[in-house]
Amino acid sequence: MIDRLNEQYGLHGHVHFAGGRGGMPRALIANDHADAEVYLHGAHVTAFAPRGEAPVLWLSPDAVFTSGRAIRGGVPIVWPWFGPHGSDSTKPQHGFARNLQWQVAATRACADGSSEITLELTENEHTLALWPHPFRLEHTVRAGRGLSMVLTSHNTGDEPVSLGAALHSYFSIADITQARVEGLEECTYLDQLTSRIVKRQPGPVTFDREVDRIYFGAPRDRVIVDATAGRAVHVATTGSRSTVVWNPWVDKSRAMADFPDEGYRNMLCVEPANAGDDVRVLAPGEHHTLTATISITP
Ligand code: BG6
């Protein structure tokens, strides 16, 4: 399979395929601007670093790479529902797209020196048992000085579908207690820990306990200020009116088998999403695109 992928989609100086952890195929992107890694499992970006910079994404050292499970860290794709399934708790949290192997559809060397890979997922017996709708999901990852991700959901069936989604980005943070998220000031949020709507975020989001919130209607880019690292991570998005901010803190870190007990100190999720009331209804033939563009500045 790796040989076939390299023959068909390998691009000298841009994209190379290799076996990864758990024997899973992955695309390794290396160009003049950046290094990145994308597993076909989940169309999951597991690493991104502009050349000469420290890793932008956090990947759990205890992540499990196996069919049917999500990789902990990087950018899992949450789809077609966010969080627990609305009516059936036996269905996987955050949907199934992150648990399945996708197909490579294209690779591209871009004029600005960045590299692109597009992966696709369509319905099969397994997805139809969990969610009875045909679909085509397309994810394009472009790595250059920044990282851009473009997730397009196509309703290929003959009934309307309701979609929740998130580009569940785990960022690497030098010290969470010194970090803050700007750009969500004044936004209303759903506190997922209490199920309460809070009317207004007072100032930047800071971290001294577990945080699990869905912010609505942020008017500008979110900026993670990683003060200890001396850098800022900018998260721009389109197709989204909701942003999830999550840090599991002490107890939840301990409770997750694929997450180190102290892992919460060095990570933060800021997730461009279609979550909460921001689910999207697609009529037959319609599509919706959710994007995230990530860049860093000193
Ligand atoms: C976040 C949710 O997006 O993902 C949290 O807001 C959840 O509630 C977290 O705990 C991790 O979810 P999972 O399924 O990857 O463990």
Side-chain angles (χ1 to χ4, degrees), residues 68 79-85 88-99 126 130:
W79 195 96
W81 59 83
F82 178 88
H85 184 270
D88 184 346
S89 61
T90 64
K91 292 188 175 173
Q93 147 120 330
H94 286 336
F96 50 76
R98 62 181 185 165
N99 302 334
H126 172 75
L130 292 168

Side-chain angles (χ1 to χ4, degrees), residues 97-154:
R98 62 181 185 165
N99 302 334
L100 300 175
Q101 182 165 307
W102 295 43
Q103 302 290 320
V104 179
T107 50
R108 199 160 76 91
C110 307
D112 65 358
S114 59
S115 319
E116 224 175 68
I117 180 167
T118 300
L119 298 111
E120 271 185 6
L121 184 70
T122 50
E123 78 280 1
N124 59 36
E125 234 171 66
H126 172 75
T127 69
L128 289 168
L130 292 168
W131 195 67
H133 306 285
F135 66 88
R136 187 162 64 82
L137 195 52
E138 203 179 88
H139 192 48
T140 296
V141 177
R142 182 172 178 155
R145 286 304 296 171
L147 173 70
S148 94
M149 292 170 284
V150 177
L151 178 70
T152 303
S153 311
H154 298 266

Side-chain angles (χ1 to χ4, degrees), residues 72 82 93-94 98 168 170 192 212 244 246 271:
R72 176 72 65 191
F82 178 88
Q93 147 120 330
H94 286 336
R98 62 181 185 165
H168 192 314
Y170 287 74
Q192 300 213 91
D212 189 354
V244 180
W246 180 59
E271 313 164 28

Side-chain angles (χ1 to χ4, degrees), residues 73-248:
V75 188
I77 294 177
V78 170
W79 195 96
W81 59 83
F82 178 88
H85 184 270
S87 58
D88 184 346
S89 61
T90 64
K91 292 188 175 173
Q93 147 120 330
H94 286 336
F96 50 76
R98 62 181 185 165
N99 302 334
L100 300 175
Q101 182 165 307
W102 295 43
Q103 302 290 320
V104 179
T107 50
R108 199 160 76 91
C110 307
D112 65 358
S114 59
S115 319
E116 224 175 68
I117 180 167
T118 300
L119 298 111
E120 271 185 6
L121 184 70
T122 50
E123 78 280 1
N124 59 36
E125 234 171 66
H126 172 75
T127 69
L128 289 168
L130 292 168
W131 195 67
H133 306 285
F135 66 88
R136 187 162 64 82
L137 195 52
E138 203 179 88
H139 192 48
T140 296
V141 177
R142 182 172 178 155
R145 286 304 296 171
L147 173 70
S148 94
M149 292 170 284
V150 177
L151 178 70
T152 303
S153 311
H154 298 266
N155 180 0
T156 55
D158 49 18
E159 285 174 8
V161 295
S162 171
L163 290 177
L167 296 168
H168 192 314
S169 315
Y170 287 74
F171 294 100
S172 179
I173 301 292
D175 178 357
I176 189 67
T177 65
Q178 304 302 311
R180 61 184 189 271
V181 181
E182 298 178 347
L184 298 168
E185 295 84 355
E186 307 298 323
C187 289
T188 296
Y189 65 86
L190 170 65
D191 187 336
Q192 300 213 91
L193 302 174
T194 59
S195 300
R196 289 226 173 89
I197 294 281
V198 177
K199 288 289 177 210
R200 198 173 72 86
Q201 167 65 37
V205 187
T206 54
F207 303 89
D208 61 2
R209 69 198 67 187
E210 183 179 0
V211 168
D212 189 354
R213 302 174 183 166
I214 306 175
Y215 284 88
F216 297 103
R220 56 190 175 95
D221 294 353
R222 301 92 187 106
V223 181
I224 304 167
V225 180
D226 185 355
T228 305
R231 72 176 184 182
V233 181
H234 300 250
V235 184
T237 179
T238 61
S240 161
R241 289 191 296 269
S242 49
T243 305
V244 180
V245 177
W246 180 59
N247 182 290

Side-chain angles (χ1 to χ4, degrees), residues 48-64:
F48 170 69
R51 193 143 313 288
E53 301 282 351
V56 174
L57 301 176
W58 181 85
L59 180 66
S60 170
D62 301 335
V64 177

